[in-house]
């Protein structure tokens, strides 16, 4: 069964304290792995798409990496405005999206 | 460019009432879908459409109907609301079907059934 597991469920960081969020997946025929950011009361906002193991993408303080079994979202020197829930999703050859339950990140000034 | 637009933002229904959540996109996307988001459950697919006139069921379709008469619009109908349908609903779209295409979400519709 295709599924996505994110860890930790919640993460509190001091401003400037770098860390990583994990997304483990099992999928029959990975077509893409996606990272989204979701602020309270808002819809998920697209961050990155990764297509194959070894691929990396960066945006400001965020860097996403992909292996054959998991993806990491590295947050370097986070700021309070990075506080949000980060969602991971995968698609298979049938174009079905499978979402994880997210990691709630709080960055304390 | 508005992207994906959902209305209403908030709605309170009584058990047994029916209503329609509206979704429109102005990006000429083929693929549209509806998700519900519940605490601890993540986003779950209700129904999706790969083009005008074509719809299919997702993971949790019971109690919901959809239709796709135009490329732009994909309304979600609750036939007889139940408290279990209290949730946040998101409409999403992508350029075309086929794995790997990014989906873009609307801002959500908060529904409470009492």
């Amino acid at each position: 069964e295709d599924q996505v597991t994110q860890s930790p469920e919640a993460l509190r960081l001091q401003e400037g304290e770098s860390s990583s969020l994990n997304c483990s997946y099992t999928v029959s025929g990975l077509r893409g792995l996606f990272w989204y950011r979701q602020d309270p009361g808002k819809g998920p906002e697209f961050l990155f798409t990764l297509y194959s193991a070894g691929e990396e993408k960066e945006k400001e303080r965020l860097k996403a990496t992909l292996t054959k079994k998991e993806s990491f979202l590295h947050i370097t020197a986070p700021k309070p405005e990075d506080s949000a829930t980060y969602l991971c999703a995968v698609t298979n050859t049938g174009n079905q999206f499978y979402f994880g339950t997210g990691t709630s990140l709080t960055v304390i000034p | 460019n508005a992207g994906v637009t959902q209305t209403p933002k908030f709605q309170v229904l009584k058990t047994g009432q029916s209503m329609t959540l509206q979704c429109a996109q102005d990006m000429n996307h083929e693929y549209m879908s509806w998700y519900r988001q519940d605490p601890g459950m993540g986003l779950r697919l209700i129904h999706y459409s790969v083009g005008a006139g074509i719809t299919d069921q997702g993971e949790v379709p019971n109690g919901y109907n959809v239709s796709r008469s135009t490329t732009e619009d994909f309304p979600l109908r609750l036939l007889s609301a139940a408290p279990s349908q209290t949730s946040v609903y998101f409409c999403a779209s992508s350029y075309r079907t086929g794995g790997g295409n990014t989906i873009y979400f609307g801002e959500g519709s908060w529904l409470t059934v009492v």
Side-chain angles (χ1 to χ4, degrees), chain A residues 48-50 52-58 63-66 74:
Chain A
F48 304 110
T49 308
L50 303 168
S52 58
E55 189 174 0
E56 300 181 351
K57 288 194 176 173
E58 290 188 64
K63 179 180 178 180
T65 62
L66 180 64
H74 305 279

Side-chain angles (χ1 to χ4, degrees), chain A residues 31-34 36 38-46 48-49 51 85 87 91-102, chain B residues 9 31 35 37 40-45 48 50 57-59 90 94 96-108 110:
Chain A
R31 297 299 295 274
L33 185 140
F34 304 82
Y36 289 84
Q38 186 173 23
D39 293 298
K42 299 288 188 180
E45 175 188 351
F46 170 70
F48 304 110
T49 308
Y51 294 103
T85 296
L87 302 174
T91 56
N92 57 16
T93 51
N95 196 36
Q96 290 295 315
F97 270 75
Y98 297 90
F99 282 87
T101 53
Chain B
K9 181 81 170 181
Y31 181 89
Y35 289 84
Q37 188 176 39
M41 301 291 290
L43 285 156
R44 292 183 292 169
L45 182 64
Y48 65 96
V50 299
Q57 296 181 352
E59 181 184 357
F90 290 100
S94 69
R96 57 172 180 251
T97 57
N101 286 287
T102 302
I103 59 173
Y104 298 92
F105 288 87
E107 289 292 278
W110 272 253

Side-chain angles (χ1 to χ4, degrees), chain A residues 3-103:
Chain A
Q3 63 180 11
V4 174
T5 303
Q6 291 187 246
S7 63
E9 288 186 13
L11 181 63
R12 289 171 63 91
L13 299 174
Q14 292 289 333
E15 185 173 1
E17 179 186 3
S18 301
S19 188
S20 297
L21 313 183
N22 178 262
C23 172
S24 299
Y25 64 91
T26 55
V27 64
S28 53
L30 178 72
R31 297 299 295 274
L33 185 140
F34 304 82
W35 282 98
Y36 289 84
R37 168 189 172 129
Q38 186 173 23
D39 293 298
K42 299 288 188 180
E45 175 188 351
F46 170 70
L47 292 173
F48 304 110
T49 308
L50 303 168
Y51 294 103
S52 58
E55 189 174 0
E56 300 181 351
K57 288 194 176 173
E58 290 188 64
K59 179 180 180 180
E60 296 180 355
R61 295 176 292 282
L62 301 177
K63 179 180 178 180
T65 62
L66 180 64
T67 72
K68 289 185 178 180
K69 294 183 178 181
E70 58 191 349
S71 176
F72 291 94
L73 184 65
H74 305 279
I75 303 176
T76 302
K79 298 182 178 181
E81 53 262 42
D82 295 322
S83 296
T85 296
Y86 291 85
L87 302 174
C88 173
V90 298
T91 56
N92 57 16
T93 51
N95 196 36
Q96 290 295 315
F97 270 75
Y98 297 90
F99 282 87
T101 53
T103 293

Side-chain angles (χ1 to χ4, degrees), chain B:
Chain B
N1 202 351
V4 180
T5 303
Q6 292 182 232
T7 57
K9 181 81 170 181
F10 300 99
Q11 183 72 48
V12 179
L13 285 179
K14 293 182 178 179
T15 297
Q17 286 186 318
S18 63
M19 76 157 298
T20 300
L21 300 178
Q22 301 291 344
C23 176
Q25 53 90 9
D26 61 1
M27 298 175 283
N28 200 31
H29 283 175
E30 287 184 0
Y31 181 89
M32 296 185 74
S33 54
W34 277 101
Y35 289 84
R36 60 178 290 173
Q37 188 176 39
D38 302 290
M41 301 291 290
L43 285 156
R44 292 183 292 169
L45 182 64
I46 304 171
H47 285 285
Y48 65 96
S49 168
V50 299
I54 306 170
T55 63
D56 207 345
Q57 296 181 352
E59 181 184 357
V60 288
N62 292 340
Y64 307 95
N65 268 359
V66 292
S67 60
R68 184 98 178 267
S69 57
T70 67
T71 300
E72 295 78 19
D73 300 301
F74 191 46
L76 177 72
R77 297 182 191 85
L78 280 70
L79 308 173
S80 178
S84 60
Q85 293 178 304
T86 294
S87 187
V88 184
Y89 292 85
F90 290 100
C91 180
S93 72
S94 69
Y95 179 57
R96 57 172 180 251
T97 57
N101 286 287
T102 302
I103 59 173
Y104 298 92
F105 288 87
E107 289 292 278
S109 295
W110 272 253
L111 176 66
T112 301
V113 182
V114 298

